[in-house]
Amino acid sequence: MEVHMLNSAPATNTQPQLQSNDYHQLPVTEKQLSFARSIAQRSGIVLPWDVQQDRHRLSRWIDRNQGKKRETSPFDDYPSSKQVAFAERIARYKRSEVPHECFKDKSLMSRWIDSNK
């Protein structure tokens, strides 16, 4: 009687290497990409190109950056140039002046414009 033994590889307890094949990479969704771009724009962070190509990497990027806020500037509270131009046009039409404190606070400027339209 002949006994044939199968050549089998010895069992090891090492974890298999995670290899990424192209068919495992899911493309990002339009909604996901749009949300990531709005986060990047709002917070002033660059959205890397390679992150935009993989759904899982983009998801991790969104999780890391979702709560971040843009660094503040001392000029953030100032009215925009369009607000100032509009207020000055209203003031010329009404033959009055825009109060000086309105030039230092955009909410004051907005209230002045609303009350003088």
Side-chain angles (χ1 to χ4, degrees):
M1 184 177 212
E2 253 179 66
V3 177
H4 294 283
M5 297 196 67
L6 297 173
N7 289 337
S8 62
T12 59
N13 289 337
T14 61
Q15 289 197 333
Q17 291 180 352
L18 297 175
Q19 293 181 342
S20 177
N21 295 328
D22 287 342
Y23 64 88
H24 287 297
Q25 290 183 348
L26 297 172
V28 298
T29 63
E30 272 305 312
K31 195 172 184 180
Q32 187 183 27
L33 189 57
S34 173
F35 184 56
R37 286 180 177 159
S38 70
I39 291 171
Q41 184 178 17
R42 181 184 65 226
S43 59
I45 301 172
V46 175
L47 179 59
W49 174 253
D50 56 327
V51 170
Q52 295 180 42
Q53 306 307 310
D54 181 21
R55 183 181 294 184
H56 298 293
R57 290 182 70 189
L58 186 57
S59 181
R60 287 192 307 268
W61 187 90
I62 289 171
D63 291 341
R64 278 194 317 269
N65 295 295
Q66 189 170 9
K68 290 186 179 177
K69 293 184 179 178
R70 194 175 75 141
E71 292 181 24
T72 58
S73 166
F75 301 106
D76 286 344
D77 291 332
Y78 283 38
S80 69
S81 59
K82 288 184 179 184
Q83 267 186 313
V84 171
F86 187 53
E88 288 176 341
R89 194 168 72 216
I90 292 171
R92 271 194 311 274
Y93 179 76
K94 292 192 164 209
R95 296 181 186 190
S96 65
E97 287 188 13
V98 179
H100 294 289
E101 58 270 9
C102 290
F103 290 99
K104 294 182 181 176
D105 187 1
K106 64 183 169 189
S107 62
L108 282 176
M109 181 67 82
S110 179
R111 279 188 258 152
W112 186 88
I113 290 171
D114 290 342
S115 65
N116 288 285
K117 282 186 192 177

